[in-house]
Amino acid sequence: MSAEAARAAEILTQLAVPERLTAFAELTRRGKEGVTLAELAYAMDKPVQEVGTILARLVGVGVATGTGNGVYRVKPGELREVAQAVDKAQPLAPLLAEYPALRGFFAHGRLTSLPPTQSERYPLVGELLTRYLALDGLCDEDTLNKRLAVVTDDVAAVRRMLVETGWLERDRAGTTYGPVTERPVTGAAG
């Protein structure tokens, strides 16, 4: 895991605690004005000491700042950096950069929807996913499903699309998949 990904994981872990996320949301709502410890304690209906501990965690991971006059502010740029680090860590990220026309079908490195079947982008998604899979021989359906699950929730639809677009071949029993001997021509990746 890269240092960026580890930092992203730490920030997301800290924000996964409901009280910390609530405090972060209130800091975000207050914007540049910020909020004092007492004001935040009142807004959250929590004791000042407990809110102080929550803020210390947020400041510690770098998503908030505290000043000498006791005003706390959010650092929203940190979350942008976290999101970018998470996106970069996705296995499809380097390949997706070569297919800018497909970005709308992906969110954070995961396929969220398929283009219409008659669209010229439909086979491009097949090409991209085939490059990601990098199959050099036959594999069973379970193995293929596990590899596709890393980048999509609907593995059955994607597996079917890869066969329909001619990027994968399936045996007659429908249990073994492999790369086609002659790949379809899709044109430019962009």
Side-chain angles (χ1 to χ4, degrees):
M1 180 183 293
S2 73
E4 284 180 326
R7 177 167 158 58
E10 177 60 23
I11 289 172
L12 293 174
T13 299
Q14 293 298 326
L15 291 176
V17 176
E19 292 82 10
R20 293 181 201 142
L21 186 58
T22 300
F24 183 80
E26 185 63 21
L27 289 173
T28 302
R29 190 180 76 74
R30 298 290 181 110
K32 292 178 184 177
E33 178 183 311
V35 63
T36 66
L37 180 60
E39 290 169 333
L40 188 58
Y42 179 78
M44 293 179 64
D45 194 27
K46 299 264 184 209
V48 171
Q49 185 176 5
E50 185 178 335
V51 173
T53 302
I54 291 169
L55 284 172
R57 292 283 187 136
L58 296 179
V59 169
V61 294
V63 296
T65 61
T67 63
N69 63 0
V71 176
Y72 291 85
R73 291 179 182 84
V74 73
K75 290 174 63 178
E78 296 299 312
L79 282 186
R80 237 176 266 113
E81 289 177 20
V82 165
Q84 290 170 349
V86 169
D87 286 352
K88 273 195 233 175
Q90 297 304 314
L92 270 181
L95 291 174
L96 192 54
E98 299 175 33
Y99 296 83
L102 299 179
R103 285 197 183 119
F105 301 102
F106 291 82
H108 305 293
R110 290 186 60 80
L111 181 66
T112 56
S113 64
L114 287 170
T117 56
Q118 298 302 311
S119 164
E120 63 188 36
R121 294 178 180 163
Y122 192 70
L124 278 178
V125 171
E127 179 181 333
L128 169 66
L129 293 174
T130 301
R131 287 182 61 199
Y132 158 72
L133 291 170
L135 296 177
D136 58 358
L138 299 176
C139 73
D140 62 33
E141 188 172 303
D142 189 47
T143 302
L144 183 62
N145 287 347
K146 286 177 184 173
R147 292 179 72 185
L148 287 173
V150 172
V151 296
T152 185
D153 291 331
D154 196 351
V155 295
V158 170
R159 192 180 62 241
R160 188 170 34 258
M161 180 270 304
L162 289 170
V163 172
E164 287 173 357
T165 57
W167 287 101
L168 283 184
E169 289 181 330
R170 175 177 49 209
D171 70 356
R172 287 184 184 210
T175 58
T176 305
Y177 295 80
V180 295
T181 51
E182 278 191 46
R183 296 200 173 195
V185 177
T186 59

